[in-house]
Each structure stands twice: as C-alpha cells, then as structure tokens.
Amino acid sequence: MEFLPTLQSGVDDLKPSLFELLSEQQLSALLPPSLRYLLAVATPRYPRYLLPVLNSFDEVYALVMLLVERHFLRTYGGSFTENFYSLKRARVLRVKGGEIPRAQMGASESVREAVKLSSGDVWKNLAVLVGLPWLKRKLDESYDIHAAHSNLLGPAYNRDRDRPQSGASVKQRLMFGYKWFLRNIYPSVNAAYYFSLLVFNMAYLFDSTKYHSPFLWMIGTRIRRLGGADHAAIEALSQPRKTGPARPGEGGSLFSPRNLARSVQPRLLSSLKILLPTSIFALKFLEWWHASDFARQLSRKSAENVELPPPILPSLPPAAKEQSSKYTSTTDHRSKPRPIDPPIAASTLLPILTVPLPADSTLCPICSTPVTNPTASPTGFVYCYTCIHRWVQGVHDRQVAFMEGAAGFAREDGAGEVEVEEWSKEEGSREGRWESGQGRDAVTGRKVLGGTEGLRRVVV
C-alpha cells in the first residue's frame, strides 16, 4: 500500500507507513494489560506490598510511564515503543509544505537539530502519550460501572435512583453530573474520538496529511523514521561520558546522587530497550508452552506418580453416638427446630440481613415470585436481575424497610413450621446494629467480589 503516496509525491524514505504506526500502537496498547496480569499473578504471594499497587494500577502505570517516556523523548526523540520500531517524533517546520528536502539530503544533522523536540514539545507529547490514554481508561472504566447497565434497566431506573435529594452535598451533585455525562454525552465523545482517528489514518494513507492522529496535529508533531544522523547521535549518547572529579563532600560511590543521576538512571531506563523484546519472546514462549500438547503430557505424567492417600471420614465420638442412638430409639416426635442465627460480618462483627430459600426453586429468594431475567451470583443462587442488582447495591425495598425497623424474613423448616426469631420482630432503626447486606449475596451473606459486575445472566 505504500505505492500510493509514492506515486503522488515521490519517495520519502523517512516517512513511516501506516502499518508501522499501527503496529507500534498495538504494542503500546498491549503493555498495560500484560503488566496488570503479571501483577495480579504475583499479588497473592506478596499481598501486603503488591495489593495497593494493583488497586491503583492505572495511576502507578501512568507515573512510571511518565518517567520512562520523558527519558526516551529527551534521549532518543521518540516514545518507548516507537524507539523499538526505529521511529521518532519531530516538530513540523513552519515552512511551506513543512519539508526541506534539499537540506535534508545535504545537511541532515542541521535538519535533525531543527526538528528536534524542545522542552515544551516533550511535555505536550507526554500529555498525548500518557495523560490521554490514562484519561481514556478511567472514563471507560467509569462508563462500565455507572452507565453500561442503563441499557438493561432503562433510563427511568437510573434517573430515579441517582437523582440527588434535597439538601445533597456538593460531592453528590458533582457525582450526579458525572454520571449524567457518562450516560448521555460520553458515548458520542467516544464515537467522535474513534471516527477522528479513522479519518486521519485514511488521510495519512493517501498522503493527504502528515499526521496519522488528530492529537499529533494539535501539538504540531509527526512521526518519522530514524535517519543516519539520528543513529550517529544515539551512538554518541551510548558512549560513556567522562565525569570530573568528585566535589568536596561527595564520595566516589556508585550510589552518590551525582553518579545516580548521570550514570545509573540513564542506563537503567535505556536497558528497557533490551527488556522489551526479551519479555515479548518470554510471553510468546509461555503462551506456546501452555498451549502445546507436550506440556499437557508432561503435567499428566508428573501427576501419575503422585499417590494420594484415601480420604479419612470423620466419625462421631462414642458419647455422641450413644446419645444419638438413645435419642432415635426413645423419641419419635420432632422437637421445635433451633432458630437459625444470621451470619456475622468479619470486619464489623455485626449480623447480616439474609433471606431464606423458598420451597420452590423457580421462585426468587428475595421477592418470592417466579424468577424473571434470571441472574446468578458467585455463590450459585439464582435471583431476578433487578432484585439481586438492587440488593447488592443496598437499595432494595426490603433492605431499606428492615434497616428502618421492619420485621425480618420468616424462615420455614422442613416440616413447614415457621421459626420466629428475635430479629424478625419489629423494632426501631437498626443502623449501626445490623448490616443491610449491601455488596453481599442475599442468601448466604457472603461478599460478591466486584459488586454488581460479579453477577452473571443465566441463559435458559
């Protein structure tokens, strides 16, 4: 496809093809999920240190990439992944057409210095390289949390649920405006974002513009291939620099601030060029290893040599056996069952509101009506989608009524007897004495990881 621009405006050896740029963008987009996956695998081993990093992965990744990209932009003239493809970023000169082909051929070093990124250009490119992707990820995540379910429940449900009450704080009003923006404006903004990228890519493919992205057009920067002068400059930078004698009060240690800033830090950041292809090779090798039959056969053979002992069945102590046999032989009637105590939260040590299982499995445990739009929680129980969704959010009518002092849920045993528990009586407000079950399963009281995102629709 590169013959199209060539036929129109001649050969430009330093202009990268669109497919080089798309490959670089795909490699850059693969870094965050790969690092997040590796961090998620390593977190169970060291949760004390890695769990805070995993919870704030987007912010930590943006901060690290800010340092890495700044070093590569100042040293090599391109981003971390662009340098891997021998690309750089150059300013567009304020001349007619933005090109000086004769000077490029005769004085390439002077042209390189003329199009080199200044300090202000570096920060503009950092905003496009780091700030814009971070903002896009946060908006997409917020949209999935606050606005994606509006297609299922309808706009009226969201409007009534999130409408700020009278006397709401400024934070609540701002949150309401943010959710309104995500549901009504952000889809159009997101569509315009991808459409503008498509338009610039097509224009770049047919040599109608020098920019393959609208954001590079806004900051006046374009992508170029590394030329001979660029490789010579990079080679000169890789040579060890001569440092003068240590200042008074500074030792010649490797860990002194002077040596760290001049020698260790640049070499550490530049070593990422070797780490990137090595990590790609390692990930591809692991992917091939886990997908190959050889790995399965090896794991199967290693498991064949493991002899598992038979399970040991627990048995009742002799006293308990005698008591149970005496009870079954002398009594025929069934005594009143012991009331079922509600589960206790491990963090607050407060009882948790739960619902009993209905006798018919086709009924929803929360509303006791036939299940509509069945949805399963991670514990395996099936509810109506609206019931369990509102229950996990803590806004179900039965939760609100119970926390305000209404009676709890009556439970039935196998013989149909209703158990009257102390907590099932009407009393005052239970705030601070009970947990409403928010974020938990309605039957077991266990936490639902991910909140409403942990619910799964059941296809019947």
Side-chain angles (χ1 to χ4, degrees), residues 1-2 4-6 8-9 15-19 21-22 194-214 217 222:
M1 295 295 292
E2 295 185 18
L4 292 175
T6 301
Q8 296 177 6
S9 59
K15 179 182 178 180
S17 65
L18 178 63
F19 304 101
L21 301 176
L22 294 180
Y194 285 107
F195 181 73
S196 63
L197 290 178
L198 177 62
V199 170
F200 270 81
N201 286 338
M202 296 301 297
Y204 183 85
L205 179 63
F206 290 95
D207 202 27
S208 298
T209 180
K210 299 179 177 62
Y211 313 95
H212 74 284
S213 170
W217 169 74
R222 61 175 176 172

Side-chain angles (χ1 to χ4, degrees), residues 241 254 256-267:
R241 294 187 300 176
L254 180 66
S256 63
R258 185 166 178 259
N259 292 334
L260 285 175
R262 293 188 177 184
S263 301
V264 179
Q265 181 181 359
R267 292 184 180 181

